[in-house]
Amino acid sequence: MSETGSSFSETGSYTLAIDGMGGDGGSEVVVAGLAIAADRHPSARILLVGDEAKLSGLLSRHPRAAAICTIRPARSAISMDMKPTAALRVRDSSMRLAMDAVAQGEAQGVVSAGNSGAMLALAKIVVKTLPGITRPAMAAISPTTRGDVVMLDLGANVACDWRNLVEFAVMGEAFAKAVLGLPAPTIGLLNVGSEELKGDDRLRQAAEVLRGSSLGRQFHGFVEGHDITAGTTDVVVTDGFTGNVALKTGEGALKMAFTLLRQVFTSSLLGRIGYLLVRPGLERMKEWLDPRRYNGAVFVGLNGVVVKSHGGTDAEGFAAAVDVAMDMVTHRFNDGIRERLARMESLTSVKANPDQSQAVPAS
């Protein structure tokens, strides 16, 4: 349906603004994903932004999506290779208008599968950061042997100081509560060792502040790379450079494991017989590790919920990103951050101690 005559405020339900033109699969994947999401969130309202003629045609083939969507026309779209500075100048793009809807209070969150650099730049300028947050971070969920873990930052901030890490811990804890439903998530700072003297000044300063804060009982201390997949803590905090490397390394290791398994089970008759015997277990593992289940990275620390769907995902993956956004909105994610920051204000305002010892190298 078109936007004319529609009123979101009358529904009493939460509204998400969706960039209908982003991602490798384009509008087809977005609308098909919304059809899946409509079954899970029938009371949701979707402000679908993009090419009105194209989106109307797609919605006519997906009546479940059409039932919750209102189209807002946009004249242009941000390409996947557009530089963030150029994207900021395109004021009538579908991504920009979706961000505007959040900034103006028409929607509580936005989801896009588009250009991540442009999305972060627009989020900072249009949606803006929460008071008390110096930098937004990118957070996402990953599987572990014990359940799921929240990791941040995954690339939004290459270099961070101790205060940024403390803020990431606050935001990660709120994220784990909202999306994973954990009442008191445990937090770990990613380091080169678990001992208290390991790492550099910023890590040790962040650890000291967290131990003395209202998060002290939930703060586990330092964790190492293997602790991420072991599920040692519910939240793993690091800078964007390290987090992005850890994320891509994990994705690569997973692809390698499946490639090697495929080679083993197809290289001989015994291998094919072995596959038939273990197939049920492998299918369960494949479903558990399916990246579509974990689609939806979140730019946390903003004045609204901003979720980045993987550009190459399918309809099921895009629906998962909508799930993440709805979880954060309905559980009032940003309210949790504000409350925690208010209780920690005196600690995060202290100066880093210039007399701290030099970093201890990895063993």
Side-chain angles (χ1 to χ4, degrees):
M1 60 181 170
S2 66
E3 190 172 8
T4 305
S6 169
S7 173
F8 291 101
S9 60
E10 293 172 356
T11 67
S13 60
Y14 294 108
T15 300
L16 295 181
I18 305 293
D19 175 8
M21 311 302 291
D24 300 337
S27 303
E28 290 80 2
V29 167
V30 171
V31 174
L34 290 175
I36 298 172
D39 286 339
R40 302 171 185 169
H41 312 284
S43 63
R45 306 308 306 159
I46 301 297
L47 184 61
L48 184 58
V49 188
D51 184 318
E52 185 173 16
K54 185 172 186 178
L55 293 175
S56 294
L58 290 169
L59 286 174
S60 68
R61 303 203 297 268
H62 293 278
R64 290 178 298 170
I68 65 171
C69 287
T70 295
I71 298 173
R72 173 161 296 177
R75 294 182 179 179
S76 60
I78 301 298
S79 65
M80 297 300 281
D81 59 353
M82 183 178 288
K83 293 182 178 179
T85 51
L88 290 173
R89 295 193 291 270
V90 185
R91 294 183 175 272
D92 60 355
S93 71
S94 56
M95 186 184 290
R96 174 61 182 260
L97 293 180
M99 294 280 185
D100 285 342
V102 176
Q104 294 163 8
E106 295 179 86
Q108 289 75 50
V110 58
V111 181
S112 175
N115 182 323
S116 57
M119 194 171 177
L120 177 59
L122 282 169
K124 287 180 177 179
I125 297 298
V126 178
V127 181
K128 304 185 185 307
T129 57
L130 283 168
I133 296 293
T134 54
R135 296 182 186 181
M138 181 181 285
I141 302 170
S142 297
T144 78
T145 56
R146 296 180 58 189
D148 293 332
V149 63
V150 173
M151 281 193 66
L152 72 166
D153 181 22
L154 295 178
N157 305 281
V158 173
C160 300
D161 60 21
W162 67 268
R163 177 169 179 143
N164 299 142
L165 295 174
V166 171
E167 291 173 2
F168 296 169
V170 172
M171 295 187 288
E173 191 252 2
F175 185 95
K177 279 185 173 180
V179 180
L180 300 183
L182 300 174
T186 55
I187 303 162
L189 277 175
L190 190 60
N191 201 347
V192 294
S194 59
E195 299 87 350
E196 289 189 12
L197 292 178
K198 292 286 186 174
D200 55 23
D201 289 348
R202 67 196 176 98
L203 280 166
R204 294 199 298 276
Q205 179 70 17
E208 181 182 341
V209 171
L210 287 169
R211 287 191 191 99
S213 74
S214 55
L215 288 173
R217 291 187 177 183
Q218 295 164 245
F219 181 56
H220 174 86
F222 295 136
V223 294
E224 300 180 61
H226 62 82
D227 288 307
I228 300 173
T229 52
T232 302
T233 60
D234 302 311
V235 179
V236 174
V237 175
T238 187
D239 60 80
F241 182 91
T242 307
N244 192 268
V245 170
L247 176 68
K248 299 293 175 58
T249 301
E251 290 175 345
L254 190 60
K255 289 179 181 178
M256 181 185 70
F258 277 112
T259 299
L260 293 176
L261 282 172
R262 189 178 297 110
Q263 291 174 1
V264 168
F265 289 130
T266 58
S267 62
S268 67
L269 176 60
L270 286 176
R272 288 190 286 273
I273 294 172
Y275 170 72
L276 293 175
L277 294 174
V278 300
R279 181 176 178 178
L282 288 175
E283 290 296 329
R284 286 195 298 272
M285 184 178 75
K286 183 179 179 181
E287 181 180 354
W288 176 46
L289 297 175
D290 187 346
R292 296 178 302 176
R293 291 184 59 219
Y294 301 96
N295 185 44
V298 182
F299 292 116
V300 293
L302 297 162
N303 271 311
V305 171
V306 179
V307 176
K308 169 68 175 73
S309 169
H310 194 289
T313 195
D314 61 8
E316 190 66 46
F318 192 83
V322 174
D323 289 342
V324 171
M326 285 303 300
D327 282 342
M328 296 180 70
V329 168
T330 56
H331 289 92
R332 301 185 180 277
F333 167 72
N334 280 343
D335 289 346
I337 293 177
R338 292 187 187 96
E339 292 169 6
R340 182 69 77 182
L341 283 174
R343 292 199 295 270
M344 296 176 65
E345 185 176 1
S346 62
L347 286 168
T348 55
S349 64
V350 301
K351 301 290 186 181
N353 185 353
D355 298 325
Q356 287 178 325
S357 58
Q358 295 299 311
V360 177
S363 56

